[in-house]
Amino acid sequence: MKLVYASASPFVRKVMALMYETGQVDQVELMPVMTTPVSTPPEVRAANPMGKIPALIRDDGPALYDSRVICRYLDDRGKGGLYPDDTLWEILTLEATADGIMDAAVLMVYERRVRPDHLVSEDWVEAQWGKVSGALDALETRWMDSLNGPLNMGQIAVACALGYLDFRHDARNWRAGRGALDDWYAVFSERESMKATAPA
């Protein structure tokens, strides 16, 4: 198998962290690419018609894309148990919340990186941060029990989302007023899977 990836992507990091947690790192070849919404390499589009990463090129079937699909596949393949049946819907919702944070945070980066300066919309940037902030508040007030439970994919996704905020939006200080989430992340980020996949 081959993973089409860029190390700075929080969606890629989710997949990589799962690979570490389930012992599959040595079973997947990494294919590094450089891609943006306005510049998609052919090898990325060949794996994912939408031109997004990550994409998992399999030897025994069509390529898989969307990090949630890839994570479910690799968890099943590696028998990781990161989507247990008894809390499946909570874990999927937690993962979706994390992915929403990543989506908005990545859009903020692209707004300034891809658009000409005179077309950048500060209202758009702040609207995206409003989504991030609302999701962070929900994690702090509604999801700490799930975050503090047995290891699951929702936790990995949230940790990758928070790591991306530190990487690209550190000045926003997401930790302010969210002590429980900050404390949880400080512990979770010490996992080997998180250290090994830190964005660069």
Side-chain angles (χ1 to χ4, degrees):
M1 292 186 295
K2 297 179 181 180
L3 183 70
V4 183
Y5 90 113
S7 62
S9 165
F11 298 101
V12 167
R13 189 181 188 190
K14 274 176 54 184
V15 174
M16 295 287 294
L18 180 147
M19 287 162 49
Y20 273 93
E21 294 287 355
T22 59
Q24 298 182 79
V25 173
D26 295 335
Q27 301 169 32
V28 181
E29 179 185 344
L30 301 181
M31 287 181 56
V33 296
M34 295 286 290
T35 185
T36 75
V38 295
S39 177
T40 303
E43 61 269 30
V44 177
R45 199 170 297 282
N48 178 351
M50 290 170 285
K52 294 183 176 182
I53 55 171
L56 184 68
I57 301 172
R58 299 183 293 167
D59 300 324
D60 58 353
L64 301 179
Y65 44 87
D66 187 284
S67 63
R68 278 176 276 190
V69 174
I70 297 171
C71 285
R72 287 295 296 272
Y73 172 79
L74 289 175
D75 182 63
D76 183 71
R77 181 180 183 275
K79 300 184 181 354
L82 297 175
Y83 294 93
D85 288 340
D86 59 339
T87 54
L88 178 61
W89 301 112
E90 289 79 6
I91 291 168
L92 290 175
T93 302
L94 191 56
E95 186 179 4
T97 302
D99 280 10
I101 292 172
M102 296 179 200
D103 276 330
V106 168
L107 286 173
M108 291 170 68
V109 171
Y110 282 148
E111 180 70 10
R112 290 203 169 93
R113 182 176 295 170
V114 177
R115 283 190 193 277
D117 289 344
H118 68 283
L119 293 178
V120 170
S121 170
E122 294 301 331
D123 288 343
W124 167 264
V125 171
E126 292 308 314
Q128 299 310 310
W129 184 254
K131 295 174 184 179
V132 171
S133 185
L136 292 172
D137 289 344
L139 292 173
E140 176 79 13
T141 59
R142 300 179 214 164
W143 290 101
M144 292 311 303
D145 286 346
S146 293
L147 289 175
N148 286 315
L151 180 66
N152 62 63
M153 194 59 217
Q155 296 169 352
I156 294 171
V158 168
C160 291
L162 298 179
Y164 188 75
L165 295 182
D166 282 345
F167 180 53
R168 294 297 194 203
H169 303 289
D170 187 50
R172 296 274 181 169
N173 190 19
W174 66 262
R175 293 171 172 79
R178 303 183 183 101
L181 189 59
D182 181 16
D183 290 344
W184 172 83
Y185 179 63
V187 174
F188 197 91
S189 61
E190 290 300 311
R191 297 184 71 88
E192 186 58 35
S193 63
M194 300 306 295
K195 290 181 177 180
T197 60

